[in-house]
Every structure is written in structure tokens, then in C-alpha cells.
Amino acid sequence: MKVLLIEDDKNISETVVEMLELNNMDVDCVHNCDRALHYLSNTQPDVIVSDVMLPDGNGFDILKFLRNETTIIDYIPFIFLSGMSTREDIRYGMNLGADDYLTKPFQYKELINTIHSVSSKASSKHDHVVRLETELSSKNQLIDQVKSITSHDLRSRIVKISNLISLTR
């Protein structure tokens, strides 16, 4: 699983990267908003874990961008990992569309479980969307067949009527 960690504190980022890699995750880490958006313009991770307060902006803005950007980036599960721990902060992040919000200090097992959980939910949703798209495509093909048959039948009847009119004249 590919994880993007957006964290400006080097000690925290090094520890989290090491811990996630020990749990068989491929982790890339960036330390600010600009690098995060540049990274996301070229790569699509499976999960994003982001601090809120960053040197050149905040994780809320990154999440707003991702949830509004439907042409470049597919839905990516997003987890906040932040020292901003008031109810209002957490509610704001969740209302923006975060999949979870963990507060610092945190338990590493909790982060790992959260990453697996949001990834699993996203995978299930993706599978459901693929099934619906397949079903829709199948129904569209059926509609096209009905249109073709109906169109041919109507043309054939019109030709018969036209021939009868010609014969009557």
C-alpha cells in the first residue's frame, strides 16, 4: 500500500515513516503543502496522512483541493494526524471530507489500524462503483440494441406504407 505522509516535524515524520514501512507500507513523505500538491500531480497514493499545521498552509486546504479536484485525482482516503485536537478542529476536518482524524500524541497501532480501515472502505467503494459501471454499460448496450431493432422495424413499416401509397396511385 502506498501512503503519502504530509508532516513538517522531521522527528515525527521519520518515526512514522519507519513504523509504516515496518508494517509493509510504501511511504513517501513531504514536509509542506506545495510539495504535497506537486507530488499528487504526479502520483496517486492509496492513502494520505496529513498534519493540519504546515509551514506554507494547512492540511485543510490540501483536503479541500483534493475533494474538489475530480479531473486529476481520483478519490484518495485522507487521514488527519494533528496536534489540533479541539472538537471544532476535528469536526471541521471531518466535514471537509476526511476519512478519519487522529490527534497527537497517538498510538502507532491506532494509525496503522486506521490506514487499513480507510483503505479497505475505499477499496470496497471502488469495487461497488466498478460493478455499477459494468451494469450500466450492459444496460446501455441493451438499450442500443432495442433502439436498433425498433428503428429498423419502424423504417420497414414506413417503406411498406410508402409502397402501398405508390401502388394505390
Side-chain angles (χ1 to χ4, degrees):
M1 173 180 332
K2 183 123 184 112
V3 177
L4 172 62
L5 174 63
I6 308 167
E7 172 62 62
D8 62 325
D9 184 311
K10 299 256 191 223
N11 291 328
I12 293 174
S13 64
E14 288 173 1
T15 305
V16 170
V17 166
E18 184 177 323
M19 184 255 320
L20 295 179
E21 287 176 344
L22 287 172
N23 283 275
N24 301 316
M25 295 182 202
D26 181 17
V27 185
D28 289 323
C29 183
V30 296
H31 303 288
N32 61 45
C33 294
D34 187 49
R35 288 200 175 138
L37 294 176
H38 178 73
Y39 175 93
L40 290 167
S41 69
N42 298 311
T43 308
Q44 184 169 339
D46 298 310
V47 175
I48 298 170
V49 177
S50 178
D51 193 359
V52 172
M53 297 307 298
L54 297 163
D56 61 342
N58 63 61
F60 294 142
D61 291 335
I62 293 171
L63 181 57
K64 284 180 203 174
F65 173 79
L66 290 175
R67 293 303 185 245
N68 289 326
E69 185 59 50
T70 56
T71 56
I72 298 172
I73 302 166
D74 285 340
Y75 173 82
I76 302 171
F78 197 101
I79 301 166
F80 280 114
L81 181 62
S82 176
M84 294 180 61
S85 59
T86 67
R87 283 182 126 170
E88 292 78 20
D89 295 328
I90 295 168
R91 180 57 31 221
Y92 184 68
M94 297 302 289
N95 286 342
L96 288 176
D99 295 279
D100 213 324
Y101 195 118
L102 303 177
T103 58
K104 297 174 186 174
F106 61 96
Q107 298 292 317
Y108 291 110
K109 189 71 173 164
E110 181 183 20
L111 176 60
I112 292 166
N113 289 341
T114 300
I115 289 171
H116 286 300
S117 176
V118 299
S119 177
S120 176
K121 286 177 187 175
S123 180
S124 294
K125 287 178 184 177
H126 179 267
D127 292 346
H128 182 68
V129 168
V130 167
R131 280 193 305 276
L132 289 174
E133 286 174 340
T134 302
E135 186 178 325
L136 180 61
S137 175
S138 172
K139 291 186 183 211
N140 280 337
Q141 287 176 349
L142 185 60
I143 288 170
D144 288 344
Q145 289 174 348
V146 168
K147 283 182 189 176
S148 175
I149 291 169
T150 304
S151 172
H152 174 72
D153 188 44
L154 284 174
R155 271 186 262 137
S156 152
R157 289 176 187 214
I158 289 171
V159 167
K160 284 180 184 177
I161 292 172
S162 176
N163 286 342
L164 280 174
I165 290 173
S166 293
L167 280 173
T168 345
R169 288 186 182 159

